[in-house]
Amino acid sequence: MADQVSKTVLPNGLTVLTEVMDRVETISFGAYIGAGTRHETAAENGVAHFLEHMAFKGTAKRSAVDIAEAVENVGGHINAYTSREQTAYYVKMLKEDLALGVDIIGDILCHSSFERGELERERGVILQEIGQANDTPDDIVFDHFQSAAYPSQPMGRPILGTESIIKTMKRDALPGFMAAHYTPENMVVAACGNLRHEQVVELVGEHFRDLPTSTREAPMPADYTGGEYREARELDQVHIVLGFDAPGYGAPDYYPSMLLSTLLGGGMSSRLFQEIREKRGLVYSIYSFTSPAKDGGLFGIYAGTGESEAAELMPVTLAELAHVQEEINEAELARARAQLKAGLLMSLESTGSRCEQLARQWQIFGRVIPAAETVAKIEAVTAEDVRAVAARIFRQRPTLATIGPVDQVPKLSAIIDRLAA
């Protein structure tokens, strides 16, 4: 697959990556900007996400309706997302509509109009989105977890921003953020599917020639601190996220930490699911996750449980964290490897997933990593590697976020004492 990947750097500094999948009838095309929530100032928290919304609301030559109809008239799909380190705009279309897709993405990134009426309407939409998140405890608890892990720094701020900031955000903040960050050097354009690299390069050169040029400042380094957030609400369940500092992309412990998360709480056969849900019936939902970044990351465990079960849940969970540092059998490690490899290889069947992987790998590592190389790294992880990374992760200061009837959830100090025992 790596020999099908082509790269061209345009005269303005924009990197274009393509991968040919000649047995499909579609293409995925996207622009991936290396800027997100952690690149915002405190006063403009939420501007990256606001900008992502506004990009679809009209350009110098297209209205919001024109953009939607142009894509859907050919049966295509257009979308975007904002994360803490990246913003992405992408389309998926039939192969004969590639030119239209590149034109539209280039148009919204180079010529968005930020019309005031559309801006005020979208401001209301985002405030509704924030309200919906606040009303969804198993969603908003992750924002509070992130904030407690990285207090008073960009990495800990919510992607959506806050109601007060969004209500008062000035129009100029959006094109200002775009001018500072949507530059050729900070963007990767990627395309996958039934395509020719030369055609993609020609189209991108035509439709992305008006990108802004500027020098941006590096974001504040992520400084994991750890802490606690507790919010008492009258709910049927208490929602809990317990987490720790963890390896980021490219760290030596990255793949061992991924395997640790998979065997600990990555599926129905995982230790947490079997012990806490299947054997004890303490939860409906429990899983572990990794959230890597360029300069660090988080390892977390989410559980939703009843008030009467909450007191038992945490000691059992902490016992599993201790147990995994002491003993891992080859069967469960092999199962975790198989899950990771299958997820990776299955994702390669999607033009959208492959498109995103091309861009992300280039932005993080400066190269496209062949799937065989990733599989080899997964295969090379030993049980001792996983035990060692578990000891390093779970013996640090934890972060706890919990919402609901929280009285029976142990305080952070008690959790720290138990982990040190």
Side-chain angles (χ1 to χ4, degrees):
M1 280 169 287
D3 59 351
Q4 293 181 291
V5 175
S6 300
K7 175 180 77 77
T8 295
V9 179
L10 298 180
N12 67 354
L14 180 61
T15 298
V16 182
L17 300 171
T18 67
E19 185 168 7
V20 175
M21 301 170 67
D22 54 14
R23 295 186 180 182
V24 301
E25 295 298 314
T26 62
I27 59 95
S28 288
F29 173 86
Y32 301 85
I33 298 97
T37 307
R38 70 177 302 185
H39 300 86
E40 302 167 344
T41 66
E44 65 181 10
N45 179 213
V47 67
H49 175 255
F50 202 152
L51 177 56
E52 174 223 312
H53 274 240
M54 282 304 299
F56 295 102
K57 298 305 173 181
T59 69
K61 68 177 182 178
R62 290 183 174 96
S63 68
V65 173
D66 292 337
I67 293 171
E69 288 184 348
V71 174
E72 294 183 359
N73 282 347
V74 297
H77 172 75
I78 187 168
N79 212 336
Y81 66 80
T82 307
S83 68
R84 288 186 166 82
E85 295 192 302
Q86 185 186 63
T87 309
Y89 302 83
Y90 56 94
V91 291
K92 183 167 185 176
M93 294 177 158
L94 296 178
K95 61 183 181 181
E96 56 264 29
D97 299 313
L98 170 65
L100 174 64
V102 178
D103 180 3
I104 289 176
I105 298 296
D107 193 23
I108 66 178
L109 294 184
C110 296
H111 306 119
S112 283
S113 55
F114 304 108
E115 194 273 323
R116 292 189 183 277
E118 289 286 359
L119 187 143
E120 293 307 320
R121 279 188 288 274
E122 207 58 30
R123 188 193 306 274
V125 170
I126 294 170
L127 290 171
Q128 291 290 335
E129 188 176 0
I130 292 172
Q132 179 176 300
N134 288 333
D135 287 345
T136 311
D138 57 341
D139 180 2
I140 198 65
V141 70
F142 288 94
D143 274 357
H144 294 305
F145 168 70
Q146 188 84 18
S147 179
Y150 299 107
S152 303
Q153 54 183 295
M155 201 64 174
R157 296 180 193 135
I159 291 171
L160 301 184
T162 65
E163 183 177 337
S164 61
I165 293 176
I166 297 301
K167 278 184 175 179
T168 58
M169 188 171 289
K170 304 296 185 184
R171 176 187 179 276
D172 291 348
L174 280 71
F177 189 86
M178 177 176 271
H181 297 285
Y182 283 43
T183 60
E185 295 80 5
N186 197 37
M187 184 183 301
V188 172
V189 169
C192 291
N194 197 325
L195 52 80
R196 290 185 303 106
H197 178 74
E198 295 75 17
Q199 182 190 14
V200 176
V201 170
E202 181 181 351
L203 289 167
V204 172
E206 176 184 356
H207 294 293
F208 285 72
R209 62 177 179 267
D210 293 333
L211 288 173
T213 56
S214 66
T215 302
R216 69 189 185 105
E217 294 182 4
M220 179 187 295
D223 181 19
Y224 176 88
T225 301
E228 182 172 13
Y229 176 88
R230 300 173 77 90
E231 180 183 338
R233 286 197 200 180
E234 291 187 9
L235 300 171
D236 290 334
Q237 280 204 315
V238 57
H239 300 273
I240 303 168
V241 182
L242 175 69
F244 305 83
D245 191 25
Y249 292 116
D253 286 340
Y254 175 71
Y255 287 104
S257 71
M258 294 283 285
L259 284 160
L260 171 64
S261 178
T262 302
L263 68 86
L264 186 65
M268 294 175 63
S269 62
S270 67
R271 290 189 179 191
L272 291 174
F273 192 94
Q274 284 295 313
E275 182 66 30
I276 293 175
R277 173 171 161 158
E278 297 296 278
K279 293 182 181 179
R280 299 174 185 261
L282 296 176
V283 300
Y284 172 71
S285 178
I286 187 166
Y287 58 86
S288 60
F289 61 91
T290 57
S291 181
K294 286 186 177 181
D295 54 351
L298 294 171
F299 186 107
I301 298 163
Y302 165 82
T305 189
E307 182 176 10
S308 59
E309 290 83 10
E312 184 182 356
L313 171 66
M314 191 58 71
V316 176
T317 301
L318 296 178
E320 289 300 318
L321 300 191
H323 183 218
V324 79
Q325 299 175 46
E326 300 165 355
E327 186 270 326
I328 293 172
N329 64 60
E330 288 300 326
E332 65 179 341
L333 182 58
R335 185 164 57 244
R337 286 197 195 102
Q339 288 177 264
L340 279 186
K341 289 188 296 183
L344 167 68
L345 297 175
M346 288 178 185
S347 73
L348 298 182
E349 298 179 0
S350 161
T351 59
S353 294
R354 288 169 81 156
C355 191
E356 184 174 353
Q357 284 183 35
L358 285 182
R360 186 173 64 245
Q361 289 174 355
W362 190 265
Q363 288 177 320
I364 294 171
F365 303 108
R367 68 187 183 99
V368 176
I369 301 174
E373 181 179 330
T374 302
V375 169
K377 289 182 178 179
I378 293 170
E379 290 282 8
V381 176
T382 66
E384 179 54 38
D385 294 333
V386 178
R387 285 196 299 271
V389 77
R392 283 192 286 274
I393 290 174
F394 299 145
R395 293 176 187 176
Q396 302 175 86
R397 176 178 169 82
T399 297
L400 176 68
T402 181
I403 299 175
V406 299
D407 288 348
Q408 298 303 312
V409 179
K411 296 290 195 333
L412 183 65
S413 57
I415 293 172
I416 291 172
D417 291 343
R418 184 68 178 262
L419 289 167

